[in-house]
Amino acid sequence: MQPEATDFELFDVLEPAHQTIPFVYNSPHSGRHYPQEFLESARLDGLEIRRSEDHFVDELFADAPLRGAPLLKANFPRAFIDVNREPYELDPRMFSGPLPSYANSNSVRVAGGLGTIPRIVAENMEIYQRRLSVEEGLSRIERFYKPYHSCLRRLVARTHAAFGTAILIDCHSMPGNIRISGSGLRPDFIIGDRYGTSASAELTQAALEILGDFGFTAVRNKPYAGGFITEHYGRPGRGLHALQIEINRALYVDEVTLERRPDFALLAEMLSSFIQRMALYAADLRGEGAWAAE
């Protein structure tokens, strides 16, 4: 099978007229353009295959450029290729030939069916009718994954050069039935900082406090501490901070029909205020020297 053709831009960078804050917003899982060849190879219908999307998260954070920060958003879907993984987290059971020696086939994410090229969506719904060729898999990484990360690296590096620090906010959504183990608490938001390794504690606390001020239940790291993007780009000692933000989908989307709820616009307004308040908080922290290398 030939590599999938696309009739859409792989991703978009929404730029402010002038970047005024040291933030980069990223929405890697909200893409909803499905290559036709991919759909034809799937055993799932058009609604089922969308179950892994971070539905409309790019729209929820659409005001980032108006607030002075670029927003990078994928247009290709997570079910097709997941840029929040290592580049070669590949499941040998999915392919008709041997994988290259550098593939990481032993990760927990691969075991769960959620590698760089996912085997499942949502709750163990198998995507493919057949095995893929190794060439198909590697082609997706070259054509989709690598250009996306090249763009993200440029945005982060540019921001760091301009401001002396860069804060990447990696924007995601989570199923509405997520509960905190042992408490039964259903969080509205989860802020992930890889257990303190990807961002300063002050920045994480600021995000939690701002969301709490809005009346949301916000928790840290459990059950989502951040994926590859947060881990890979967060280097607080070098002035590179990365936070993952997970939004409970039940707040804004009908998880059966995948339609926006009536209060979608209100949540988007609140997240616009979140962007603004995070920028103000970050400016205060910088002024206090809280981000000095540890």
Side-chain angles (χ1 to χ4, degrees):
M1 186 177 188
Q2 295 298 314
E4 288 88 350
T6 58
D7 58 359
F8 58 87
E9 293 294 327
L10 301 185
F11 51 82
D12 291 316
V13 181
L14 306 183
E15 294 272 17
H18 177 64
Q19 186 173 354
T20 57
I21 59 177
F23 285 78
V24 174
Y25 282 80
N26 181 46
S27 182
H29 287 166
S30 57
R32 44 195 176 269
H33 293 275
Y34 288 78
Q36 185 59 37
E37 293 90 340
F38 172 59
L39 293 175
E40 291 171 356
S41 70
R43 63 175 67 190
L44 304 176
D45 65 32
L47 194 62
E48 291 171 335
I49 204 166
R50 295 187 61 198
R51 296 297 178 188
S52 285
E53 281 181 27
D54 285 341
H55 307 290
F56 312 118
V57 163
D58 55 332
E59 296 180 15
L60 289 174
F61 287 93
D63 272 4
L66 298 178
R67 298 295 190 183
L71 169 64
L72 172 62
K73 60 174 187 173
N75 292 323
F76 53 85
R78 177 191 188 183
F80 180 67
I81 187 165
D82 190 343
V83 293
N84 197 24
R85 299 291 181 261
E86 297 174 21
Y88 298 101
E89 284 189 83
L90 300 174
D91 187 342
R93 296 170 295 177
M94 294 178 59
F95 297 94
S96 58
L99 293 172
S101 60
Y102 49 80
N104 178 1
S105 299
N106 298 313
S107 75
V108 173
R109 293 178 287 216
V110 167
L114 296 172
T116 313
I117 297 177
R119 178 173 53 83
I120 64 171
V121 299
E123 298 177 359
N124 292 318
M125 300 171 68
E126 295 275 347
I127 296 174
Y128 295 97
Q129 303 179 56
R130 59 165 182 83
R131 291 191 176 195
L132 306 177
S133 71
V134 174
E135 179 186 30
E136 282 180 81
L138 297 180
S139 174
R140 289 185 199 179
I141 293 166
E142 292 296 325
R143 297 174 60 232
F144 294 82
Y145 183 103
K146 290 187 177 181
Y148 190 90
H149 276 279
S150 291
C151 181
L152 183 56
R153 278 194 300 273
R154 286 195 299 271
L155 291 172
V156 171
R158 183 189 74 185
T159 301
H160 188 262
F163 296 93
T165 192
I167 305 164
L168 173 61
I169 307 293
D170 203 37
C171 306
H172 297 265
S173 69
M174 59 185 172
N177 62 0
I178 292 297
R179 297 291 189 274
I180 302 301
S181 177
S183 71
L185 177 70
R186 191 200 78 164
D188 298 315
F189 288 83
I190 300 173
I191 300 297
D193 63 4
R194 300 295 298 181
Y195 299 98
T197 63
S198 71
S200 73
E202 293 84 2
L203 193 64
T204 301
Q205 189 60 33
L208 294 170
E209 289 180 1
I210 291 167
L211 292 169
D213 288 346
F214 290 149
F216 293 117
T217 300
V219 299
R220 180 187 182 208
N221 286 327
K222 293 182 180 180
Y224 302 116
F228 171 78
I229 289 173
T230 312
E231 180 180 20
H232 183 71
Y233 289 90
R235 296 290 183 271
R238 302 179 188 174
L240 300 169
H241 302 263
L243 290 178
Q244 178 175 284
I245 182 168
E246 294 273 1
I247 309 170
N248 191 309
R249 289 178 202 146
L251 292 173
Y252 70 91
V253 72
D254 184 314
E255 292 185 272
V256 176
T257 66
L258 307 185
E259 297 291 330
R260 300 170 187 81
R261 291 191 181 279
D263 50 1
F264 182 94
L266 176 60
L267 180 60
E269 288 178 12
M270 297 175 84
L271 289 172
S272 181
S273 296
F274 170 83
I275 294 168
Q276 182 181 36
R277 288 188 59 183
M278 282 293 288
L280 293 172
Y281 204 107
D284 289 343
L285 287 177
R286 290 183 69 195
E288 295 170 3
W291 295 353
E294 298 173 356

